[in-house]
Amino acid sequence: MWAWVLHRISGATIFFFLFVHVLDTALVRVGPQAYDEVLATYKTPIVGVMEFGLVAAVLFHALNGIRVILIDFWSEGTRHQRLMLWIVGVLFLLLIVPAGVVLGIHLMAHLR
């Protein structure tokens, strides 16, 4: 059940990001100065943490999506769904830690 809930939350988070991204990119039509002002607000530590959250959401959503596809289309999928969930969790941790380090280094460079 928690994988289902997290899959929905991560999907909604990704959708929200895409919506905001389209809106802030549309500001180029309003004026380059307005666009530059919005981009300047993105260089804050809070947005850096949100960026990490977005990476985590995309990573989990992708890995769990593969698991859901396997459950639906593989005849043995339902029998192995718990093992696949553990594999998703381990892969998520193995990939999110280096991503967090890279994003942390990137954030620290912007704060200087």
Side-chain angles (χ1 to χ4, degrees):
M1 179 184 100
W2 289 110
W4 180 85
V5 170
L6 288 173
H7 196 75
R8 297 307 183 265
I9 291 171
S10 63
T13 301
I14 295 164
F15 177 78
F16 176 73
F17 164 76
L18 290 173
F19 181 73
V20 170
H21 180 63
V22 168
L23 288 179
D24 69 14
T25 304
L27 283 175
V28 169
R29 289 186 153 309
V30 173
Q33 185 176 359
Y35 179 73
D36 290 339
E37 288 174 11
V38 168
L39 285 185
T41 64
Y42 290 164
K43 296 178 180 172
T44 64
I46 293 171
V47 175
V49 171
M50 291 170 61
E51 196 173 55
F52 176 74
L54 176 65
V55 170
V58 169
L59 181 61
F60 175 78
H61 197 78
L63 292 172
N64 194 55
I66 293 168
R67 183 183 78 90
V68 169
I69 289 169
L70 287 173
I71 291 170
D72 286 344
F73 293 109
W74 179 33
S75 61
E76 298 290 317
T78 54
R79 197 173 82 180
H80 299 292
Q81 66 89 16
R82 186 172 300 247
L83 172 63
M84 289 189 292
L85 181 60
W86 278 100
I87 291 169
V88 164
V90 169
L91 284 174
F92 176 80
L93 289 174
L94 288 174
L95 294 171
I96 199 64
V97 170
V101 170
V102 169
L103 286 171
I105 291 169
H106 181 72
L107 179 63
M108 296 306 286
H110 278 287
L111 292 178
R112 290 184 192 168

